[in-house]
Every structure is written in structure tokens, then in C-alpha cells.
């Protein structure tokens, strides 16, 4: 494993035990905030949050999960257990303590597993934004989930034409398909850019990770305060089978539902969400 950072340059790489290299950004000083991106994006999806919290005096860190962005396009290890252990390795590499971990969508699943299993003494609070836990797919124990055929469709579309698939996903992701809304082409292109930076094999495997991983026990095991943020018009991760269940399972939580907000609300409504996250961190 790469030794702890001695001289911080603003970004870098950390090497995992299996040889995968994770790219990260690390700016500022003060209490650390670690950002975990959604599928199939990168650390760049947190630009609005990184700049906001940096200006508030925090140390801000965001990284590309394995298989995504500038990190190694791994063939293996694209699952929640490995994502969480990778996070633990990054935290040790940067020697982070008293950190706030914020995860969006799939990144919320990573945060839940990491905080439940590895966070003792290193995490102060967590934030789940449009997060996937406890489980997205429909099962006998989760009748409100999405049918497996939905995720099979994702896999088929990715294999058939990943560029075309990633061009279309941002439309419901940001609610651009709703009445009165128009497509913000710059946001759409930035989503597409990030998605196409990653590895197709890792992104394919990650669909199973974010949809079929049952994180019920992770949520129950979280011992730090958690802010849950979710839009009630989230077309990607429906609120009824995610945030509302998270609030029943996490021992110490605050639930904030945003009327009309889409899955990509961190970009579309950054000012609102950043302010609420700041209030939670300071509270």
C-alpha cells in the first residue's frame, strides 16, 4: 500500500492491495469532507460541493471509484464490499479523522457500507443523497423495488451502445423530461463525459452492485448522525423504496424530502442542498 501522504499536491493516487489505483482530489484544511459519486460518474460530479465547502473552511476530498474516471479500469472488485474497503484504504492513506462522508446514489451505498463496517473513530457524520440503500431490486422481502428486468435493460443498453445509453440517461436523471423543463446541454454533456471516462466492464458490474446489494443491516449498524436528502420526483432511485426506508432503519437520522427535485438535484439545486448539508454538519 502507498504510504501516507507527506506533501499534499491537491490530487494524487493511492494504490490498493490488488494493484488498482484510485485517483483523488484533496483541497484545503480543516475538518475533512469526503465525497462519493454516483454511477457511472467521477469525482468531478462534486465540483459545486467541493468549491462551496472549501470556501467554508473545510478540507474537501473526492475520488474516482475503481473502474470509474481516472482510476484503474478494473476487471474485478466492482462490488460494495470492495468499494468500502477501497474507501477505508484511502482514508488511512490520507490519515483522515472526524470526517464527514457524503454519498450520492451508488456513492450513498458505499458510504453506508463503509460507515457501518470501517468507520470506528474516523467518521463524525454522514449524508446520503438520493442514495440506493437498502436495496433497489424487487424481491419478496422488498416488493416495492424495481423489477430485475429494469437493471437487465441497463446492462443490455450499455453493451449495445454505451455512448448512446449515457447520452440518454441524463434526461430523466436531471428531470429534463418533466413538463416545463428543457435540457441543459452543458450538464448533459458533462454527465456523458464523466460516464465515458470509465471502464465498460466495471460499469456493467456496478449495476449489480448498486441494485442487488442488500444494505439493510448496514443502515441499522450506522452509529453516527446521518442526514438523508432525497427528491420526491427522483426517477432513478424512487424515494418510497430508498430514503423513506432509510429513515426507518438508521438509528440517528434527519430526513429531508425535496418536493419536485430530481435524482441529479446536487447539480440542479446545489445552493439549496449545500446550505442544508452545512447546517447539518454544524448542528
Amino acid at each position: 500500500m502507498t504510504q501516507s501522504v507527506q506533501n499534499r499536491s491537491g490530487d494524487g493516487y493511492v494504490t490498493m492491495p490488488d494493484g488498482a489505483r484510485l485517483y483523488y482530489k484533496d483541497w484545503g484544511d480543516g475538518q475533512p469532507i469526503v465525497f462519493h459519486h454516483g454511477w457511472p460518474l467521477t469525482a468531478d460530479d462534486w465540483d459545486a460541493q467541493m468549491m462551496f465547502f472549501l470556501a467554508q473552511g473545510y478540507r474537501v476530498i473526492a475520488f474516482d471509484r475503481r473502474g470509474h474516471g481516472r482510476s484503474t479500469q478494473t476487471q474485478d472488485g466492482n462490488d460494495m464490499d470492495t468499494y468500502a474497503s477501497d474507501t477505508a484504504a484511502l482514508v488511512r492513506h490520507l490519515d483522515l479523522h472526524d470526517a464527514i462522508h457524503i454519498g450520492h446514489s451508488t456513492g450513498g451505498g458505499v458510504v453506508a457500507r463503509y460507515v457501518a463496517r470501517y468507520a470506528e473513530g474516523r467518521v463524525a457524520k454522514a449524508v446520503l443523497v438520493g442514495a440506493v440503500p437498502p436495496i433497489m431490486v424487487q424481491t419478496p422481502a422488498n416488493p416495492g423495488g424495481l423489477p430485475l428486468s429494469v437493471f437487465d435493460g441497463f446492462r443490455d443498453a450499455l453493451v449495445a451502445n454505451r455512448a448512446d445509453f449515457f447520452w440518454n440517461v441524463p434526461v430523466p436523471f436531471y428531470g429534463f423530461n418533466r413538463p416545463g423543463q428543457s435540457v441543459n446541454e452543458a450538464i448533459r454533456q458533462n454527465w456523458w463525459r464523466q460516464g465515458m471516462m470509465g471502464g465498460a466492464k466495471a460499469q456493467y458490474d456496478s449495476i449489480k452492485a448498486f441494485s442487488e446489494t442488500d444494505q439493510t443491516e448496514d443502515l441499522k449498524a450506522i452509529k453516527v448522525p446521518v442526514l438523508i436528502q432525497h427528491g420526491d420526483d427522483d426517477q432513478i432511485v424512487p424515494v418510497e423504496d430508498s430514503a423513506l426506508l432509510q429513515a426507518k432503519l438508521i438509528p440517528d437520522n434527519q430526513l429531508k424530502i425535496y418536493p419536485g427535485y430530481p435524482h441529479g438535484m446536487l447539480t440542479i439545486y446545489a445552493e439549496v442542498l449545500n446550505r442544508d448539508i452545512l447546517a447539518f454538519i454544524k448542528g
Side-chain angles (χ1 to χ4, degrees):
M1 176 100 55
T2 302
Q3 294 181 349
S4 295
V5 174
Q6 298 298 319
N7 297 307
R8 292 167 55 204
S9 61
D11 71 346
Y13 286 88
V14 56
T15 302
M16 299 295 105
D18 67 352
R21 300 176 73 234
L22 302 188
Y23 172 81
Y24 65 88
K25 307 176 190 183
D26 181 6
W27 308 335
D29 297 294
Q31 185 177 16
I33 303 177
V34 184
F35 298 95
H36 304 249
H37 64 78
W39 177 94
L41 303 174
T42 75
D44 296 351
D45 202 46
W46 292 104
D47 284 352
Q49 286 70 42
M50 294 273 285
M51 296 302 292
F52 174 82
F53 286 100
L54 179 66
Q56 298 293 325
Y58 291 91
R59 178 181 177 184
V60 293
I61 298 149
F63 66 102
D64 296 350
R65 267 194 312 279
R66 63 169 58 218
H68 297 68
R70 291 141 292 205
S71 294
T72 303
Q73 293 193 9
T74 48
Q75 173 176 283
D76 302 311
N78 304 294
D79 56 79
M80 283 296 178
D81 284 346
T82 307
Y83 294 157
S85 65
D86 284 351
T87 299
L90 175 69
V91 166
R92 290 193 299 270
H93 175 73
L94 298 177
D95 194 27
L96 305 181
H97 297 271
D98 196 33
I100 312 295
H101 282 260
I102 304 177
H104 176 236
S105 197
T106 302
V110 178
V111 168
R113 180 140 297 182
Y114 167 73
V115 173
R117 297 189 179 183
Y118 296 94
E120 193 72 30
R122 289 191 181 268
V123 176
K125 294 181 178 180
V127 182
L128 304 180
V129 188
V132 297
I135 183 171
M136 287 192 70
V137 74
Q138 187 179 67
T139 68
N142 184 45
L146 297 171
L148 181 61
S149 60
V150 172
F151 304 106
D152 287 340
F154 289 175
R155 282 181 276 262
D156 291 345
L158 189 151
V159 170
N161 190 331
R162 184 169 65 128
D164 185 65
F165 179 45
F166 285 178
W167 185 248
N168 291 317
V169 171
V171 177
F173 192 97
Y174 294 108
F176 295 151
N177 57 341
R178 292 310 196 202
Q181 299 296 319
S182 59
V183 175
N184 183 312
E185 291 294 345
I187 290 175
R188 183 185 201 177
Q189 291 183 33
N190 191 41
W191 197 101
W192 185 89
R193 173 190 68 84
Q194 292 179 71
M196 294 305 294
M197 288 170 66
K201 174 63 165 61
Q203 292 169 346
Y204 183 96
D205 292 348
S206 294
I207 295 171
K208 182 179 180 67
F210 74 64
S211 64
E212 297 183 43
T213 305
D214 189 341
Q215 298 194 256
T216 301
E217 297 306 314
D218 291 335
L219 298 177
K220 292 178 181 178
I222 294 174
K223 297 178 181 179
V224 300
V226 177
L227 173 63
I228 302 167
Q229 297 178 308
H230 216 106
D232 73 357
D233 193 34
D234 190 323
Q235 300 172 67
I236 308 299
V237 181
V239 65
E240 295 83 3
D241 203 52
S242 53
L244 300 187
L245 299 181
Q246 294 162 23
K248 295 178 180 179
L249 294 167
I250 298 171
D252 182 0
N253 74 84
Q254 298 177 28
L255 174 64
K256 290 189 71 69
I257 303 298
Y258 297 83
Y261 281 23
H263 191 59
M265 60 185 183
L266 279 164
T267 300
I268 304 295
Y269 300 106
E271 182 178 348
V272 175
L273 270 73
N274 290 350
R275 181 188 66 223
D276 290 347
I277 293 170
L278 181 63
F280 170 72
I281 291 174
K282 290 181 172 292

